[in-house]
Amino acid sequence: MAKAVGILSIEGTIENLTFYRRDGKIFVRRKGGVSKHRIETDPNYVRTRENMNEFKQSAKAGKLLRVALHGLVIKAKDNRLSSRMFQTMFRIKNLDTTSVRGNRRVAIGLSTPAGKTSLKGFDFNANAPLNGVLFAPFDLDTTSGKITFTDFVSATELLFPEGATHASIQGAALAINFDTAFSEISYSPKENFTLSMTPSTFSLTPNSLPGGGAVTVFLLSVAFFQEVGGVQYPMKNEEFNVLNIIDVV
């Protein structure tokens, strides 16, 4: 593998050379390898075809979840979210013990207790994990999606960025089926508050609990703001914001 230096900024394929960008740098490699037709038909590549099929299925599942949660993800993500989500879905797919190799599915893996555990706790922004930002206990009622905080002290139970004056917390419930690509989401109202030592008790309840999915994913988001002239502005492109899967049922 070669690395391009200087002012070269080509991306794509020229003759037998492929230029691509990684971590802000341009790399070049020689085009070649086994033909697509041979991979698709040669019996010697049956394992490759099986792996490719399961890779595609896992990537599709990860994209489906990200798109279903776009309104939340757009405000709380890191630059490796897609690859981390793919890895999680691939592990969940491996928990499908009923399908033959090459046809194992995320939907079946997620129907198992181990599959639900694998997705529970996923942080969409690895730079701001829930357990590193929020230190207050909360209760989740999975029959209604209601999340309850009791005697919450924001100034001591949140790790907030310098300059932040306010924060908001919101809950959500997502019904999703990875086989049919169905998804429906319901949000709770946002609880917005000044960062202070005053304790408060509040609940986050979705307008309704969505149905029709094979599983329901419960989420919690935390966002920080700085108030200037009576207007709350997101902190530093929202890089401190949290989005976490708190349960899967």
Side-chain angles (χ1 to χ4, degrees):
M1 180 189 300
K3 180 175 71 174
V5 296
I7 62 173
L8 187 66
S9 60
I10 299 172
E11 290 186 66
T13 300
I14 299 178
E15 294 185 350
N16 66 337
L17 298 177
T18 297
F19 297 81
Y20 62 99
R21 184 180 298 274
R22 188 176 69 192
D23 297 330
K25 299 177 182 178
I26 297 294
F27 291 82
V28 58
R29 63 188 174 199
R30 188 180 300 277
K31 184 180 180 182
V34 182
S35 70
K36 179 180 179 182
H37 176 73
R38 184 179 177 189
I39 291 175
E40 291 177 345
T41 60
D42 192 329
N44 292 323
Y45 287 91
V46 62
R47 290 290 175 260
T48 300
R49 291 193 293 273
E50 292 171 351
N51 290 335
M52 289 174 60
N53 188 51
E54 292 189 349
F55 266 71
K56 290 177 183 177
Q57 204 273 138
S58 299
K60 184 178 179 180
K63 182 178 180 180
L64 177 64
L65 182 58
R66 296 196 309 275
V67 171
L69 296 172
H70 177 75
L72 294 171
V73 172
I74 195 66
K75 299 178 181 180
K77 62 179 181 177
D78 61 73
N79 58 12
R80 294 191 63 251
L81 173 59
S82 294
S83 61
R84 292 192 301 106
M85 178 61 72
F86 167 78
Q87 292 167 4
T88 297
M89 292 301 179
F90 197 79
R91 289 194 299 269
I92 293 172
K93 173 269 304 175
N94 289 340
L95 296 171
D96 173 3
T97 60
T98 62
S99 304
V100 298
R101 179 170 174 169
N103 291 308
R104 291 176 295 181
R105 308 201 314 269
V106 169
I108 295 179
L110 195 57
S111 69
T112 67
K116 292 179 175 64
T117 298
S118 295
L119 190 57
K120 180 180 177 179
F122 185 87
D123 285 295
F124 289 80
N125 183 4
N127 299 316
L130 180 65
N131 63 9
V133 174
L134 176 68
F135 307 107
F138 57 86
D139 294 315
L140 168 65
D141 179 359
T142 57
T143 62
S144 64
K146 180 180 179 181
I147 303 170
T148 303
F149 287 83
T150 303
D151 295 330
F152 174 65
V153 180
S154 57
T156 60
E157 295 183 303
L158 279 176
L159 181 63
F160 51 89
E162 183 178 357
T165 60
H166 291 72
S168 67
I169 299 181
Q170 185 177 30
L174 171 73
I176 190 165
N177 187 316
F178 289 100
D179 273 345
T180 65
F182 167 87
S183 67
E184 182 181 338
I185 190 168
S186 181
Y187 303 92
S188 78
K190 293 181 181 178
E191 183 74 19
N192 182 268
F193 46 84
T194 303
L195 296 169
S196 71
M197 293 296 295
T198 303
S200 62
T201 297
F202 57 90
S203 296
L204 309 168
T205 307
N207 296 326
S208 62
L209 198 62
V215 296
T216 302
V217 179
F218 297 93
L219 302 107
L220 188 67
S221 68
V222 183
F224 297 100
F225 305 88
Q226 183 179 70
E227 185 175 87
V228 179
V231 179
Q232 293 184 28
Y233 296 92
M235 295 294 297
K236 280 193 174 182
N237 299 320
E238 303 171 317
E239 66 181 276
F240 300 102
N241 290 356
V242 174
L243 179 60
N244 178 273
I245 296 176
I246 58 175
D247 208 351
V248 183
V249 298

